[in-house]
Structures are given as structure tokens and as C-alpha cells.
């Protein structure tokens, strides 16, 4: 069962866009997710979560469009913050 309530996270990072994209693609592949996009924007999907991202300066803006109801929002945010470090 999916929860369709969208939520947007603005995450500041010091990591360069190309490094961040490579890290995100590696994490997506390792976790069975699909990530399509470039250093500017894109989208991702997984059985538990689906959304899109875009880079604005040193901020990554991630919008979660759908997430599984068993996946708590604080866990989603913590995983995103860990990814952009």
C-alpha cells in the first residue's frame, strides 16, 4: 500500500554535483532502485519510495511523490541526509 502524500526536502551539501550523482547511482543500484537523470535533475523509483530530485546551487531538492506506508518519514529524511554527505 502506497502513501501518495508528497513531501519535499531541501538538503544542503558540500559535495560536488558529479560526485553526488555517482554516489546516488551507486546507492540506487545497490538497493534495487532505478535512478534516471543528470547532475541537474532526475527521478528515482523503488518498491518502497518514488520521487524526483533537482540541484539548485549547493542544495539538493528531493520530492518524494509516493512512499510505502510502513516507511516512516524520519527514516526517509535520514537516508537522504546520509546520501548527500
Amino acid at each position: 500500500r502506497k502513501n501518495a502524500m508528497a513531501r519535499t526536502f531541501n538538503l544542503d551539501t558540500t559535495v560536488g554535483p558529479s560526485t553526488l550523482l555517482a554516489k546516488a547511482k551507486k546507492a540506487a543500484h545497490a538497493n534495487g532502485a532505478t535512478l534516471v537523470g543528470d547532475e541537474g535533475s532526475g527521478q528515482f523509483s523503488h518498491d518502497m519510495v518514488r520521487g524526483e530530485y533537482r540541484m539548485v546551487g549547493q542544495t539538493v531538492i528531493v520530492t518524494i511523490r509516493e512512499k510505502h506506508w510502513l516507511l516512516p518519514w524520519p527514516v526517509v529524511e535520514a537516508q537522504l541526509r546520509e546520501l548527500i554527505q
Side-chain angles (χ1 to χ4, degrees):
R1 202 171 77 190
K2 301 280 186 199
N3 178 345
M5 188 172 69
R7 186 172 288 187
T8 299
F9 299 93
N10 295 320
L11 309 160
D12 295 325
T13 185
T14 57
V15 180
S18 59
T19 302
L20 202 55
L21 181 62
K23 188 175 176 182
K25 284 188 174 184
K26 184 177 178 181
H29 181 73
N31 291 289
T34 302
L35 186 147
V36 178
D38 57 26
E39 296 171 6
S41 65
Q43 48 195 334
F44 54 89
S45 62
H46 182 272
D47 289 344
M48 299 293 279
V49 69
R50 177 181 316 272
E52 63 244 6
Y53 70 90
R54 61 189 167 100
M55 286 287 298
V56 178
Q58 289 299 114
T59 302
V60 183
I61 302 167
V62 179
T63 301
I64 305 297
R65 295 279 175 217
E66 293 178 21
K67 74 167 190 64
H68 194 281
W69 67 274
L70 280 174
L71 185 62
W73 282 114
V75 171
V76 172
E77 184 172 11
Q79 290 292 318
L80 289 172
R81 291 192 182 284
E82 184 178 311
L83 186 63
I84 64 151
Q85 296 299 323

